Amino acid sequence: MAVIALVSAKGSPGVTTAALAAALSWHRRLVLAECDPAGGSVLAGYLGGALDGPRGLGELAVGELRDGNLESAFWSQLVDLDAPRRERLLLPGVVDPAQAGSVTPLWQRFADFFTSLERGVPPYDVLVDCGRLQVGGPPWPVLRAAAVVLLVTRAHLPDLSATRATVKAIERDFTEHRIPPGTLRLLVVGDGHGSSEISKALRLPVIARLPHDPRTAGVLTHGGTVRANRPLMRAAGQLEVPVRALLDRRRARLAWPGGPAPRAVTAPSTPGVSGAV
């Protein structure tokens, strides 16, 4: 499919929870990349700190700045969320705030690499957790490279007020960088105002809505057994359908892809991908 980015305005509307729920329900090969400049949380939370040693985006950034070895080092930094199948892989985010300075100048490099994974052998979709936009060094190049950007928001007035400003900021940036229209959509989390009301107020379509399910959100945040029949997981499992439909419509309208395709990458036959537990 492509690169799909999730981002929020402020607060904690559940970007990581939504991204992880979708990743665990995805039907194609997928890399979940934690690109929140404020740091990743899946290793310490959902995976309960089960892995020893440094792993993830920060290590890749340090290696890339030192050796320029992103293509070869990438696969060794992943965690298999569904071991040993290597179909749902996690690229953990930075855990040391000092690493953020190494990552920020490389957002474009990561964006280009994520885009190439769609045409890799085998191909992978990339679901990117971009965290909150109002932080230092946000991953704007990743958002611009994404085929779909999902702006995650809760459905209450204070959240929607902050989201309105973020919608304007993203649309302004996309216009300046000539990003084709139709990339940005809302992903609503929890109870509150209706989806049609939110869409009308923010002048942006709601692609899906994830239900309030604190039990499952707690498991995804702190670890435990994920149950596929829980409301959040059922809704997350259906998110891929409207995302794929949106991509199909955009590609038909824009005759995408056009021009030379990005250079594809090939996953090692036995990559250094560790299991989650």
Side-chain angles (χ1 to χ4, degrees), residues 1-5 26 28 118 125-127 145-150 182-183 185 207 239-257:
M1 190 155 46
V3 177
I4 302 99
W26 213 251
R28 290 166 48 114
E118 181 188 8
D125 295 333
V126 184
L127 198 63
V148 176
V149 175
L150 303 181
T183 298
R185 291 292 186 271
I207 197 168
L239 178 60
E240 188 176 352
V241 176
V243 169
R244 189 184 302 275
L246 174 61
L247 283 171
D248 289 343
R249 290 195 301 270
R250 289 190 62 231
R251 288 170 176 173
R253 184 174 68 249
L254 301 172
W256 191 95

PDB file of all heavy atoms in Angstrom, residues 1-5 26 28 118 125-127 145-150 182-183 185 207 239-257:
ATOM      1  N   MET A   1       0.842  -1.190   0.000  1.00  0.00           N
ATOM      2  CA  MET A   1       0.000   0.000   0.000  1.00  0.00           C
ATOM      3  C   MET A   1       0.877   1.240   0.000  1.00  0.00           C
ATOM      4  O   MET A   1       1.160   1.778  -1.033  1.00  0.00           O
ATOM      5  CB  MET A   1      -0.960  -0.036   1.185  1.00  0.00           C
ATOM      6  CG  MET A   1      -2.026   1.016   1.151  1.00  0.00           C
ATOM      7  SD  MET A   1      -3.540   0.631   2.074  1.00  0.00           S
ATOM      8  CE  MET A   1      -2.899   0.006   3.613  1.00  0.00           C
ATOM      9  N   ALA A   2       1.364   1.703   1.139  1.00  0.00           N
ATOM     10  CA  ALA A   2       2.111   2.956   1.158  1.00  0.00           C
ATOM     11  C   ALA A   2       2.533   3.298   2.570  1.00  0.00           C
ATOM     12  O   ALA A   2       2.459   2.477   3.479  1.00  0.00           O
ATOM     13  CB  ALA A   2       1.244   4.078   0.569  1.00  0.00           C
ATOM     14  N   VAL A   3       2.958   4.564   2.746  1.00  0.00           N
ATOM     15  CA  VAL A   3       3.269   5.109   4.070  1.00  0.00           C
ATOM     16  C   VAL A   3       2.026   5.810   4.604  1.00  0.00           C
ATOM     17  O   VAL A   3       1.445   6.656   3.930  1.00  0.00           O
ATOM     18  CB  VAL A   3       4.442   6.100   3.995  1.00  0.00           C
ATOM     19  CG1 VAL A   3       4.706   6.714   5.363  1.00  0.00           C
ATOM     20  CG2 VAL A   3       5.695   5.408   3.475  1.00  0.00           C
ATOM     21  N   ILE A   4       1.611   5.424   5.808  1.00  0.00           N
ATOM     22  CA  ILE A   4       0.461   6.034   6.473  1.00  0.00           C
ATOM     23  C   ILE A   4       0.961   6.624   7.779  1.00  0.00           C
ATOM     24  O   ILE A   4       1.530   5.905   8.608  1.00  0.00           O
ATOM     25  CB  ILE A   4      -0.665   5.019   6.746  1.00  0.00           C
ATOM     26  CG1 ILE A   4      -1.129   4.370   5.443  1.00  0.00           C
ATOM     27  CG2 ILE A   4      -1.832   5.683   7.457  1.00  0.00           C
ATOM     28  CD1 ILE A   4      -0.533   3.019   5.181  1.00  0.00           C
ATOM     29  N   ALA A   5       0.784   7.931   7.971  1.00  0.00           N
ATOM     30  CA  ALA A   5       1.283   8.610   9.159  1.00  0.00           C
ATOM     31  C   ALA A   5       0.134   8.992  10.073  1.00  0.00           C
ATOM     32  O   ALA A   5      -0.930   9.402   9.609  1.00  0.00           O
ATOM     33  CB  ALA A   5       2.070   9.859   8.762  1.00  0.00           C
ATOM     34  N   TRP A  26      -3.274  -5.429  11.072  1.00  0.00           N
ATOM     35  CA  TRP A  26      -3.030  -5.197   9.643  1.00  0.00           C
ATOM     36  C   TRP A  26      -2.975  -6.523   8.886  1.00  0.00           C
ATOM     37  O   TRP A  26      -2.491  -7.525   9.413  1.00  0.00           O
ATOM     38  CB  TRP A  26      -1.729  -4.428   9.470  1.00  0.00           C
ATOM     39  CG  TRP A  26      -1.687  -3.481   8.317  1.00  0.00           C
ATOM     40  CD1 TRP A  26      -0.976  -3.618   7.161  1.00  0.00           C
ATOM     41  CD2 TRP A  26      -2.349  -2.214   8.227  1.00  0.00           C
ATOM     42  NE1 TRP A  26      -1.155  -2.528   6.357  1.00  0.00           N
ATOM     43  CE2 TRP A  26      -2.001  -1.645   6.987  1.00  0.00           C
ATOM     44  CE3 TRP A  26      -3.216  -1.520   9.072  1.00  0.00           C
ATOM     45  CZ2 TRP A  26      -2.485  -0.399   6.569  1.00  0.00           C
ATOM     46  CZ3 TRP A  26      -3.697  -0.287   8.667  1.00  0.00           C
ATOM     47  CH2 TRP A  26      -3.336   0.259   7.426  1.00  0.00           C
ATOM     48  N   ARG A  28      -1.533  -6.850   5.691  1.00  0.00           N
ATOM     49  CA  ARG A  28      -0.359  -6.924   4.837  1.00  0.00           C
ATOM     50  C   ARG A  28       0.887  -6.793   5.697  1.00  0.00           C
ATOM     51  O   ARG A  28       0.813  -6.413   6.858  1.00  0.00           O
ATOM     52  CB  ARG A  28      -0.384  -5.789   3.793  1.00  0.00           C
ATOM     53  CG  ARG A  28      -1.447  -5.956   2.724  1.00  0.00           C
ATOM     54  CD  ARG A  28      -1.646  -4.657   1.941  1.00  0.00           C
ATOM     55  NE  ARG A  28      -0.414  -4.029   1.494  1.00  0.00           N
ATOM     56  CZ  ARG A  28      -0.066  -3.894   0.213  1.00  0.00           C
ATOM     57  NH1 ARG A  28      -0.841  -4.371  -0.749  1.00  0.00           N
ATOM     58  NH2 ARG A  28       1.043  -3.285  -0.109  1.00  0.00           N
ATOM     59  N   GLU A 118       7.678   0.077   0.250  1.00  0.00           N
ATOM     60  CA  GLU A 118       6.477  -0.407  -0.433  1.00  0.00           C
ATOM     61  C   GLU A 118       6.839  -1.212  -1.671  1.00  0.00           C
ATOM     62  O   GLU A 118       6.113  -2.130  -2.063  1.00  0.00           O
ATOM     63  CB  GLU A 118       5.589   0.778  -0.825  1.00  0.00           C
ATOM     64  CG  GLU A 118       4.296   0.350  -1.515  1.00  0.00           C
ATOM     65  CD  GLU A 118       3.522   1.527  -2.081  1.00  0.00           C
ATOM     66  OE1 GLU A 118       4.056   2.652  -2.063  1.00  0.00           O
ATOM     67  OE2 GLU A 118       2.387   1.308  -2.524  1.00  0.00           O
ATOM     68  N   ASP A 125       4.100  -2.202   3.994  1.00  0.00           N
ATOM     69  CA  ASP A 125       3.492  -0.919   4.316  1.00  0.00           C
ATOM     70  C   ASP A 125       4.219  -0.371   5.537  1.00  0.00           C
ATOM     71  O   ASP A 125       4.808  -1.120   6.313  1.00  0.00           O
ATOM     72  CB  ASP A 125       2.009  -1.087   4.653  1.00  0.00           C
ATOM     73  CG  ASP A 125       1.179  -1.557   3.473  1.00  0.00           C
ATOM     74  OD1 ASP A 125       1.577  -1.280   2.328  1.00  0.00           O
ATOM     75  OD2 ASP A 125       0.140  -2.207   3.691  1.00  0.00           O
ATOM     76  N   VAL A 126       4.157   0.939   5.709  1.00  0.00           N
ATOM     77  CA  VAL A 126       4.787   1.571   6.865  1.00  0.00           C
ATOM     78  C   VAL A 126       3.747   2.444   7.558  1.00  0.00           C
ATOM     79  O   VAL A 126       3.187   3.366   6.954  1.00  0.00           O
ATOM     80  CB  VAL A 126       6.013   2.413   6.475  1.00  0.00           C
ATOM     81  CG1 VAL A 126       6.688   2.967   7.726  1.00  0.00           C
ATOM     82  CG2 VAL A 126       7.001   1.574   5.672  1.00  0.00           C
ATOM     83  N   LEU A 127       3.474   2.133   8.815  1.00  0.00           N
ATOM     84  CA  LEU A 127       2.574   2.912   9.650  1.00  0.00           C
ATOM     85  C   LEU A 127       3.457   3.715  10.599  1.00  0.00           C
ATOM     86  O   LEU A 127       4.218   3.133  11.369  1.00  0.00           O
ATOM     87  CB  LEU A 127       1.644   1.982  10.420  1.00  0.00           C
ATOM     88  CG  LEU A 127       0.366   2.547  11.029  1.00  0.00           C
ATOM     89  CD1 LEU A 127      -0.561   3.061   9.930  1.00  0.00           C
ATOM     90  CD2 LEU A 127      -0.340   1.470  11.837  1.00  0.00           C
ATOM     91  N   ALA A 145       5.741  12.902   2.940  1.00  0.00           N
ATOM     92  CA  ALA A 145       5.958  11.719   2.111  1.00  0.00           C
ATOM     93  C   ALA A 145       4.828  10.714   2.218  1.00  0.00           C
ATOM     94  O   ALA A 145       4.696   9.831   1.364  1.00  0.00           O
ATOM     95  CB  ALA A 145       7.276  11.048   2.505  1.00  0.00           C
ATOM     96  N   ALA A 146       4.015  10.829   3.258  1.00  0.00           N
ATOM     97  CA  ALA A 146       2.961   9.841   3.498  1.00  0.00           C
ATOM     98  C   ALA A 146       1.870   9.939   2.436  1.00  0.00           C
ATOM     99  O   ALA A 146       1.491  11.027   2.000  1.00  0.00           O
ATOM    100  CB  ALA A 146       2.358  10.046   4.886  1.00  0.00           C
ATOM    101  N   ALA A 147       1.357   8.791   2.034  1.00  0.00           N
ATOM    102  CA  ALA A 147       0.234   8.762   1.099  1.00  0.00           C
ATOM    103  C   ALA A 147      -1.058   9.153   1.798  1.00  0.00           C
ATOM    104  O   ALA A 147      -1.971   9.697   1.178  1.00  0.00           O
ATOM    105  CB  ALA A 147       0.104   7.369   0.486  1.00  0.00           C
ATOM    106  N   VAL A 148      -1.132   8.855   3.099  1.00  0.00           N
ATOM    107  CA  VAL A 148      -2.286   9.236   3.916  1.00  0.00           C
ATOM    108  C   VAL A 148      -1.764   9.730   5.261  1.00  0.00           C
ATOM    109  O   VAL A 148      -0.903   9.088   5.860  1.00  0.00           O
ATOM    110  CB  VAL A 148      -3.255   8.057   4.138  1.00  0.00           C
ATOM    111  CG1 VAL A 148      -4.399   8.467   5.069  1.00  0.00           C
ATOM    112  CG2 VAL A 148      -3.812   7.549   2.821  1.00  0.00           C
ATOM    113  N   VAL A 149      -2.289  10.859   5.728  1.00  0.00           N
ATOM    114  CA  VAL A 149      -1.981  11.372   7.059  1.00  0.00           C
ATOM    115  C   VAL A 149      -3.276  11.361   7.870  1.00  0.00           C
ATOM    116  O   VAL A 149      -4.268  11.983   7.468  1.00  0.00           O
ATOM    117  CB  VAL A 149      -1.402  12.795   7.007  1.00  0.00           C
ATOM    118  CG1 VAL A 149      -1.199  13.336   8.419  1.00  0.00           C
ATOM    119  CG2 VAL A 149      -0.081  12.803   6.247  1.00  0.00           C
ATOM    120  N   LEU A 150      -3.263  10.642   8.978  1.00  0.00           N
ATOM    121  CA  LEU A 150      -4.424  10.562   9.853  1.00  0.00           C
ATOM    122  C   LEU A 150      -4.183  11.446  11.063  1.00  0.00           C
ATOM    123  O   LEU A 150      -3.268  11.195  11.851  1.00  0.00           O
ATOM    124  CB  LEU A 150      -4.660   9.112  10.292  1.00  0.00           C
ATOM    125  CG  LEU A 150      -4.861   8.088   9.161  1.00  0.00           C
ATOM    126  CD1 LEU A 150      -5.099   6.706   9.739  1.00  0.00           C
ATOM    127  CD2 LEU A 150      -6.012   8.507   8.252  1.00  0.00           C
ATOM    128  N   GLY A 182      -6.147  15.826  -0.617  1.00  0.00           N
ATOM    129  CA  GLY A 182      -6.777  14.546  -0.295  1.00  0.00           C
ATOM    130  C   GLY A 182      -5.943  13.645   0.572  1.00  0.00           C
ATOM    131  O   GLY A 182      -6.339  12.512   0.854  1.00  0.00           O
ATOM    132  N   THR A 183      -4.777  14.127   1.016  1.00  0.00           N
ATOM    133  CA  THR A 183      -3.898  13.306   1.842  1.00  0.00           C
ATOM    134  C   THR A 183      -4.373  13.234   3.287  1.00  0.00           C
ATOM    135  O   THR A 183      -4.265  12.192   3.940  1.00  0.00           O
ATOM    136  CB  THR A 183      -2.465  13.877   1.809  1.00  0.00           C
ATOM    137  OG1 THR A 183      -1.974  13.823   0.469  1.00  0.00           O
ATOM    138  CG2 THR A 183      -1.528  13.091   2.720  1.00  0.00           C
ATOM    139  N   ARG A 185      -6.779  13.213   6.627  1.00  0.00           N
ATOM    140  CA  ARG A 185      -8.070  12.761   7.111  1.00  0.00           C
ATOM    141  C   ARG A 185      -8.062  12.759   8.638  1.00  0.00           C
ATOM    142  O   ARG A 185      -7.000  12.739   9.272  1.00  0.00           O
ATOM    143  CB  ARG A 185      -8.383  11.349   6.607  1.00  0.00           C
ATOM    144  CG  ARG A 185      -8.659  11.238   5.107  1.00  0.00           C
ATOM    145  CD  ARG A 185      -9.958  11.933   4.750  1.00  0.00           C
ATOM    146  NE  ARG A 185     -10.339  11.735   3.358  1.00  0.00           N
ATOM    147  CZ  ARG A 185      -9.970  12.505   2.347  1.00  0.00           C
ATOM    148  NH1 ARG A 185      -9.158  13.538   2.583  1.00  0.00           N
ATOM    149  NH2 ARG A 185     -10.403  12.271   1.118  1.00  0.00           N
ATOM    150  N   ILE A 207     -12.217   9.561   8.526  1.00  0.00           N
ATOM    151  CA  ILE A 207     -12.016   8.290   7.837  1.00  0.00           C
ATOM    152  C   ILE A 207     -12.524   7.119   8.662  1.00  0.00           C
ATOM    153  O   ILE A 207     -12.963   6.102   8.115  1.00  0.00           O
ATOM    154  CB  ILE A 207     -10.532   8.099   7.463  1.00  0.00           C
ATOM    155  CG1 ILE A 207     -10.392   7.015   6.397  1.00  0.00           C
ATOM    156  CG2 ILE A 207      -9.673   7.770   8.702  1.00  0.00           C
ATOM    157  CD1 ILE A 207      -9.005   6.946   5.760  1.00  0.00           C
ATOM    158  N   LEU A 239      -9.822  -0.428   9.943  1.00  0.00           N
ATOM    159  CA  LEU A 239      -9.259   0.843   9.486  1.00  0.00           C
ATOM    160  C   LEU A 239      -8.571   0.707   8.137  1.00  0.00           C
ATOM    161  O   LEU A 239      -8.587   1.638   7.321  1.00  0.00           O
ATOM    162  CB  LEU A 239      -8.276   1.375  10.525  1.00  0.00           C
ATOM    163  CG  LEU A 239      -7.552   2.685  10.193  1.00  0.00           C
ATOM    164  CD1 LEU A 239      -8.546   3.819   9.991  1.00  0.00           C
ATOM    165  CD2 LEU A 239      -6.562   3.032  11.307  1.00  0.00           C
ATOM    166  N   GLU A 240      -7.982  -0.443   7.896  1.00  0.00           N
ATOM    167  CA  GLU A 240      -7.255  -0.654   6.642  1.00  0.00           C
ATOM    168  C   GLU A 240      -8.161  -0.506   5.425  1.00  0.00           C
ATOM    169  O   GLU A 240      -7.706  -0.086   4.353  1.00  0.00           O
ATOM    170  CB  GLU A 240      -6.610  -2.044   6.663  1.00  0.00           C
ATOM    171  CG  GLU A 240      -5.670  -2.318   5.520  1.00  0.00           C
ATOM    172  CD  GLU A 240      -4.998  -3.677   5.669  1.00  0.00           C
ATOM    173  OE1 GLU A 240      -5.159  -4.323   6.730  1.00  0.00           O
ATOM    174  OE2 GLU A 240      -4.316  -4.088   4.714  1.00  0.00           O
ATOM    175  N   VAL A 241      -9.447  -0.831   5.567  1.00  0.00           N
ATOM    176  CA  VAL A 241     -10.371  -0.798   4.429  1.00  0.00           C
ATOM    177  C   VAL A 241     -10.578   0.615   3.892  1.00  0.00           C
ATOM    178  O   VAL A 241     -10.363   0.865   2.698  1.00  0.00           O
ATOM    179  CB  VAL A 241     -11.718  -1.455   4.807  1.00  0.00           C
ATOM    180  CG1 VAL A 241     -12.713  -1.324   3.654  1.00  0.00           C
ATOM    181  CG2 VAL A 241     -11.514  -2.920   5.163  1.00  0.00           C
ATOM    182  N   PRO A 242     -10.975   1.595   4.716  1.00  0.00           N
ATOM    183  CA  PRO A 242     -11.127   2.951   4.165  1.00  0.00           C
ATOM    184  C   PRO A 242      -9.807   3.584   3.753  1.00  0.00           C
ATOM    185  O   PRO A 242      -9.774   4.398   2.826  1.00  0.00           O
ATOM    186  CB  PRO A 242     -11.795   3.736   5.303  1.00  0.00           C
ATOM    187  CG  PRO A 242     -11.474   2.967   6.538  1.00  0.00           C
ATOM    188  CD  PRO A 242     -11.441   1.532   6.119  1.00  0.00           C
ATOM    189  N   VAL A 243      -8.708   3.219   4.416  1.00  0.00           N
ATOM    190  CA  VAL A 243      -7.407   3.745   4.012  1.00  0.00           C
ATOM    191  C   VAL A 243      -7.053   3.245   2.620  1.00  0.00           C
ATOM    192  O   VAL A 243      -6.621   4.017   1.750  1.00  0.00           O
ATOM    193  CB  VAL A 243      -6.325   3.354   5.031  1.00  0.00           C
ATOM    194  CG1 VAL A 243      -4.927   3.660   4.477  1.00  0.00           C
ATOM    195  CG2 VAL A 243      -6.518   4.094   6.349  1.00  0.00           C
ATOM    196  N   ARG A 244      -7.252   1.959   2.390  1.00  0.00           N
ATOM    197  CA  ARG A 244      -6.952   1.400   1.066  1.00  0.00           C
ATOM    198  C   ARG A 244      -7.871   2.006   0.004  1.00  0.00           C
ATOM    199  O   ARG A 244      -7.430   2.317  -1.111  1.00  0.00           O
ATOM    200  CB  ARG A 244      -7.111  -0.117   1.093  1.00  0.00           C
ATOM    201  CG  ARG A 244      -6.621  -0.802  -0.178  1.00  0.00           C
ATOM    202  CD  ARG A 244      -6.896  -2.294  -0.126  1.00  0.00           C
ATOM    203  NE  ARG A 244      -6.258  -2.906   1.022  1.00  0.00           N
ATOM    204  CZ  ARG A 244      -4.984  -3.323   1.030  1.00  0.00           C
ATOM    205  NH1 ARG A 244      -4.230  -3.149  -0.048  1.00  0.00           N
ATOM    206  NH2 ARG A 244      -4.469  -3.890   2.091  1.00  0.00           N
ATOM    207  N   ALA A 245      -9.156   2.201   0.342  1.00  0.00           N
ATOM    208  CA  ALA A 245     -10.084   2.787  -0.615  1.00  0.00           C
ATOM    209  C   ALA A 245      -9.675   4.213  -0.970  1.00  0.00           C
ATOM    210  O   ALA A 245      -9.756   4.630  -2.129  1.00  0.00           O
ATOM    211  CB  ALA A 245     -11.503   2.761  -0.046  1.00  0.00           C
ATOM    212  N   LEU A 246      -9.242   4.972   0.047  1.00  0.00           N
ATOM    213  CA  LEU A 246      -8.786   6.341  -0.203  1.00  0.00           C
ATOM    214  C   LEU A 246      -7.577   6.345  -1.126  1.00  0.00           C
ATOM    215  O   LEU A 246      -7.495   7.147  -2.068  1.00  0.00           O
ATOM    216  CB  LEU A 246      -8.450   7.021   1.122  1.00  0.00           C
ATOM    217  CG  LEU A 246      -7.815   8.417   1.036  1.00  0.00           C
ATOM    218  CD1 LEU A 246      -8.752   9.389   0.340  1.00  0.00           C
ATOM    219  CD2 LEU A 246      -7.461   8.923   2.430  1.00  0.00           C
ATOM    220  N   LEU A 247      -6.633   5.448  -0.881  1.00  0.00           N
ATOM    221  CA  LEU A 247      -5.448   5.376  -1.730  1.00  0.00           C
ATOM    222  C   LEU A 247      -5.808   5.006  -3.158  1.00  0.00           C
ATOM    223  O   LEU A 247      -5.267   5.573  -4.113  1.00  0.00           O
ATOM    224  CB  LEU A 247      -4.472   4.350  -1.152  1.00  0.00           C
ATOM    225  CG  LEU A 247      -3.654   4.801   0.051  1.00  0.00           C
ATOM    226  CD1 LEU A 247      -2.906   3.621   0.649  1.00  0.00           C
ATOM    227  CD2 LEU A 247      -2.682   5.898  -0.333  1.00  0.00           C
ATOM    228  N   ASP A 248      -6.721   4.060  -3.318  1.00  0.00           N
ATOM    229  CA  ASP A 248      -7.126   3.654  -4.665  1.00  0.00           C
ATOM    230  C   ASP A 248      -7.761   4.818  -5.418  1.00  0.00           C
ATOM    231  O   ASP A 248      -7.482   5.021  -6.613  1.00  0.00           O
ATOM    232  CB  ASP A 248      -8.108   2.481  -4.585  1.00  0.00           C
ATOM    233  CG  ASP A 248      -7.452   1.186  -4.151  1.00  0.00           C
ATOM    234  OD1 ASP A 248      -6.200   1.111  -4.216  1.00  0.00           O
ATOM    235  OD2 ASP A 248      -8.175   0.249  -3.755  1.00  0.00           O
ATOM    236  N   ARG A 249      -8.595   5.594  -4.738  1.00  0.00           N
ATOM    237  CA  ARG A 249      -9.242   6.738  -5.403  1.00  0.00           C
ATOM    238  C   ARG A 249      -8.214   7.799  -5.780  1.00  0.00           C
ATOM    239  O   ARG A 249      -8.254   8.344  -6.887  1.00  0.00           O
ATOM    240  CB  ARG A 249     -10.302   7.353  -4.480  1.00  0.00           C
ATOM    241  CG  ARG A 249     -11.528   6.493  -4.262  1.00  0.00           C
ATOM    242  CD  ARG A 249     -12.666   7.304  -3.660  1.00  0.00           C
ATOM    243  NE  ARG A 249     -12.319   7.905  -2.386  1.00  0.00           N
ATOM    244  CZ  ARG A 249     -12.496   7.321  -1.211  1.00  0.00           C
ATOM    245  NH1 ARG A 249     -12.985   6.092  -1.156  1.00  0.00           N
ATOM    246  NH2 ARG A 249     -12.177   7.955  -0.088  1.00  0.00           N
ATOM    247  N   ARG A 250      -7.278   8.063  -4.866  1.00  0.00           N
ATOM    248  CA  ARG A 250      -6.268   9.086  -5.147  1.00  0.00           C
ATOM    249  C   ARG A 250      -5.362   8.653  -6.290  1.00  0.00           C
ATOM    250  O   ARG A 250      -5.006   9.438  -7.161  1.00  0.00           O
ATOM    251  CB  ARG A 250      -5.429   9.363  -3.904  1.00  0.00           C
ATOM    252  CG  ARG A 250      -6.190  10.107  -2.805  1.00  0.00           C
ATOM    253  CD  ARG A 250      -5.250  10.558  -1.705  1.00  0.00           C
ATOM    254  NE  ARG A 250      -4.265  11.480  -2.201  1.00  0.00           N
ATOM    255  CZ  ARG A 250      -2.947  11.357  -1.997  1.00  0.00           C
ATOM    256  NH1 ARG A 250      -2.477  10.337  -1.313  1.00  0.00           N
ATOM    257  NH2 ARG A 250      -2.108  12.250  -2.470  1.00  0.00           N
ATOM    258  N   ARG A 251      -4.978   7.398  -6.298  1.00  0.00           N
ATOM    259  CA  ARG A 251      -4.076   6.923  -7.348  1.00  0.00           C
ATOM    260  C   ARG A 251      -4.767   6.916  -8.701  1.00  0.00           C
ATOM    261  O   ARG A 251      -4.136   7.220  -9.727  1.00  0.00           O
ATOM    262  CB  ARG A 251      -3.560   5.540  -6.988  1.00  0.00           C
ATOM    263  CG  ARG A 251      -2.550   5.588  -5.844  1.00  0.00           C
ATOM    264  CD  ARG A 251      -2.213   4.218  -5.316  1.00  0.00           C
ATOM    265  NE  ARG A 251      -1.169   4.306  -4.293  1.00  0.00           N
ATOM    266  CZ  ARG A 251      -0.765   3.290  -3.568  1.00  0.00           C
ATOM    267  NH1 ARG A 251      -1.304   2.093  -3.723  1.00  0.00           N
ATOM    268  NH2 ARG A 251       0.190   3.452  -2.673  1.00  0.00           N
ATOM    269  N   ALA A 252      -6.054   6.604  -8.709  1.00  0.00           N
ATOM    270  CA  ALA A 252      -6.789   6.647  -9.967  1.00  0.00           C
ATOM    271  C   ALA A 252      -6.904   8.081 -10.473  1.00  0.00           C
ATOM    272  O   ALA A 252      -6.756   8.352 -11.666  1.00  0.00           O
ATOM    273  CB  ALA A 252      -8.174   6.044  -9.766  1.00  0.00           C
ATOM    274  N   ARG A 253      -7.139   9.022  -9.553  1.00  0.00           N
ATOM    275  CA  ARG A 253      -7.307  10.413  -9.948  1.00  0.00           C
ATOM    276  C   ARG A 253      -5.994  11.050 -10.379  1.00  0.00           C
ATOM    277  O   ARG A 253      -5.939  11.843 -11.324  1.00  0.00           O
ATOM    278  CB  ARG A 253      -7.908  11.208  -8.787  1.00  0.00           C
ATOM    279  CG  ARG A 253      -8.210  12.661  -9.133  1.00  0.00           C
ATOM    280  CD  ARG A 253      -8.936  13.388  -8.000  1.00  0.00           C
ATOM    281  NE  ARG A 253      -8.089  13.569  -6.821  1.00  0.00           N
ATOM    282  CZ  ARG A 253      -8.262  12.953  -5.665  1.00  0.00           C
ATOM    283  NH1 ARG A 253      -9.240  12.063  -5.529  1.00  0.00           N
ATOM    284  NH2 ARG A 253      -7.462  13.188  -4.638  1.00  0.00           N
ATOM    285  N   LEU A 254      -4.926  10.716  -9.699  1.00  0.00           N
ATOM    286  CA  LEU A 254      -3.628  11.334  -9.965  1.00  0.00           C
ATOM    287  C   LEU A 254      -2.737  10.481 -10.862  1.00  0.00           C
ATOM    288  O   LEU A 254      -1.602  10.851 -11.137  1.00  0.00           O
ATOM    289  CB  LEU A 254      -2.898  11.590  -8.637  1.00  0.00           C
ATOM    290  CG  LEU A 254      -3.619  12.493  -7.643  1.00  0.00           C
ATOM    291  CD1 LEU A 254      -2.885  12.508  -6.317  1.00  0.00           C
ATOM    292  CD2 LEU A 254      -3.747  13.903  -8.206  1.00  0.00           C
ATOM    293  N   ALA A 255      -3.279   9.318 -11.304  1.00  0.00           N
ATOM    294  CA  ALA A 255      -2.479   8.370 -12.092  1.00  0.00           C
ATOM    295  C   ALA A 255      -1.185   8.060 -11.378  1.00  0.00           C
ATOM    296  O   ALA A 255      -0.104   7.997 -11.948  1.00  0.00           O
ATOM    297  CB  ALA A 255      -2.187   8.940 -13.485  1.00  0.00           C
ATOM    298  N   TRP A 256      -1.305   7.810 -10.052  1.00  0.00           N
ATOM    299  CA  TRP A 256      -0.137   7.516  -9.206  1.00  0.00           C
ATOM    300  C   TRP A 256       0.229   6.046  -9.334  1.00  0.00           C
ATOM    301  O   TRP A 256      -0.649   5.195  -9.409  1.00  0.00           O
ATOM    302  CB  TRP A 256      -0.490   7.842  -7.767  1.00  0.00           C
ATOM    303  CG  TRP A 256       0.668   7.832  -6.825  1.00  0.00           C
ATOM    304  CD1 TRP A 256       1.405   8.880  -6.429  1.00  0.00           C
ATOM    305  CD2 TRP A 256       1.204   6.696  -6.145  1.00  0.00           C
ATOM    306  NE1 TRP A 256       2.380   8.493  -5.544  1.00  0.00           N
ATOM    307  CE2 TRP A 256       2.286   7.156  -5.368  1.00  0.00           C
ATOM    308  CE3 TRP A 256       0.907   5.330  -6.132  1.00  0.00           C
ATOM    309  CZ2 TRP A 256       3.048   6.298  -4.579  1.00  0.00           C
ATOM    310  CZ3 TRP A 256       1.655   4.475  -5.354  1.00  0.00           C
ATOM    311  CH2 TRP A 256       2.712   4.972  -4.577  1.00  0.00           C
ATOM    312  N   PRO A 257       1.507   5.628  -9.352  1.00  0.00           N
ATOM    313  CA  PRO A 257       2.675   6.501  -9.308  1.00  0.00           C
ATOM    314  C   PRO A 257       3.031   7.032 -10.680  1.00  0.00           C
ATOM    315  O   PRO A 257       2.823   6.366 -11.678  1.00  0.00           O
ATOM    316  CB  PRO A 257       3.775   5.568  -8.772  1.00  0.00           C
ATOM    317  CG  PRO A 257       3.372   4.216  -9.282  1.00  0.00           C
ATOM    318  CD  PRO A 257       1.852   4.198  -9.290  1.00  0.00           C
TER     319      PRO A 257
END
